[in-house]
Every structure is written in structure tokens, then in C-alpha cells.
Amino acid sequence: MAWLVALGGLLGCADDKPAFRGVDITGADYAQGWSLSDQDGQVRTLKDFAGKVVVVFFGFTQCPDVCPTALQEMAEAKQLLGADGARLQSIFITVDPERDTPELLKAYVANFGSDFVALRPTPEQLPKVTKDFKIYYKKVEGKTPTSYTMDHSAGSFTFDPQGRVRLYNRHASGAASLAADAKILLSGK
């Protein structure tokens, strides 16, 4: 009989699990944060955004489609949240610090929202931060030394208001999915 009560308790807990649209990675031992300079030269960490849902995407400013699509989805999710949109922080981390100067990053993220933050790891920091987040990136040579492109992972990571990584969002999941998940995290689940 005790096992039946225990089973009932477990089943009851299952009902409390949030119905995320992104991949639930709660408790993951990676993607734990960063300490990188932003587009204004200020060193930023995850703690700077305490109380907000933080979405982190790795890319580069000369990306023709994946990066602008991801950042546009973040901007749309913010709008879908209405008043709660102020509690959604979008962060873009470049995998191309060679070309992505602070000035270029500042202009690029301003296209998506005045509160978007761009982070620029140094060439020495880039391997560590991408390893910490399990991000793939590789420079693909072009016809000229400056016409190269970057292959990179295309998903994003969502952190809850307490700074814990909670979700991995596949590329092109949509603004509605991102907003729905942010709403769940903002409710304290």
C-alpha cells in the first residue's frame, strides 16, 4: 500500500513539471555563464541580468540568415510578452571577434532592440566560452582573407530569473514558443 501512495506522489509531481516547448536541460552542468565585454566595453556576467529570463545566442554579424532570424525571433518574443517583455533579455555572443568590432556589434544588435546586448570574447576567450556552452564554430575560408564565413551551432540557451540554464531552443522554433517558455519561467516554474 505504501508503494501506491509513493506512486501517487510521483504522478502528482509529474503534473507540476512545466510544459516547455524548448528542450528542457534544467540541471545541466554546462552553459553556466560568462564574463565578457559587451558592445560598450563593459564586462558583463549572467548576474547582471538577475530577475530576467535571459536568452543567449552565438553567431556573427555577417551571417546571412540564421543569426538575424534568431535575433528577430527574440525581438518578437519580447513583444508577445507585452509588459513582461521588459523581463526578457536577449544576448548575442559573437563567434567572429576578428571582424565583429564593438562598434559593429552595437549597430547590429540595435536593429533588433535597444536593450539587446552583444558580447565579444577575445580570441583567447572564444574557445573557452564556446566549450562551456558546447557550441560548435569554425572559420570557413572565402575567396579573400576577409570574405570568410563562420559555421556555428544555431540554437539558443534560456536562463531563468535565478540564472540557471533551463532550456535549449532549436533554431527557428518561433517567437511564440520562446515567449511561451519565457512566460513559464517568469511565473517561477
Side-chain angles (χ1 to χ4, degrees):
M1 191 62 150
W3 67 270
L4 189 57
V5 172
L7 179 61
L10 288 175
L11 291 175
C13 290
D15 294 338
D16 292 341
K17 186 172 180 173
F20 292 123
R21 296 183 186 182
V23 179
D24 189 343
I25 59 170
T26 300
D29 63 352
Y30 59 95
Q32 297 300 307
W34 63 83
S35 179
L36 301 169
S37 293
D38 70 10
Q39 69 266 32
D40 296 317
Q42 180 180 348
V43 174
R44 305 299 289 265
T45 69
L46 185 57
K47 290 179 184 172
D48 294 333
F49 307 101
K52 293 185 175 187
V53 169
V54 177
V55 181
V56 177
F57 180 81
F58 287 79
F60 64 114
T61 62
Q62 298 194 32
C63 180
D65 49 19
V66 171
C67 299
T69 299
L71 296 180
Q72 185 60 39
E73 283 182 3
M74 290 180 198
E76 289 173 14
K78 191 174 197 59
Q79 289 177 341
L80 289 171
L81 287 168
D84 282 338
R87 295 180 58 208
L88 178 67
Q89 179 64 57
S90 300
I91 297 183
F92 176 77
I93 302 178
T94 183
V95 294
D96 187 12
E98 185 178 327
R99 289 186 297 193
D100 287 345
T101 64
E103 298 78 21
L104 183 58
L105 287 167
K106 187 174 195 166
Y108 184 72
V109 295
N111 290 311
F112 302 99
S114 60
D115 65 338
F116 271 59
V117 171
L119 299 175
R120 182 175 181 256
T122 64
E124 297 77 27
Q125 291 171 317
L126 184 59
K128 181 184 181 329
V129 73
T130 54
K131 183 179 179 185
D132 289 349
F133 277 78
K134 298 183 184 257
I135 293 293
Y136 165 82
Y137 74 98
K138 180 182 178 189
K139 185 175 182 178
V140 178
E141 299 300 332
K143 292 182 181 184
T144 67
T146 58
S147 68
Y148 64 88
T149 189
M150 299 294 290
D151 283 346
H152 63 91
S153 303
S156 62
F157 295 87
T158 301
F159 293 80
D160 67 20
Q162 292 75 39
R164 298 175 300 218
V165 67
R166 299 292 300 275
L167 301 168
Y168 176 79
N169 312 293
R170 292 182 178 96
H171 175 65
S173 294
S177 291
L178 186 57
D181 286 347
K183 197 162 203 59
I184 291 169
L185 293 173
L186 287 169
S187 75
K189 292 190 178 192

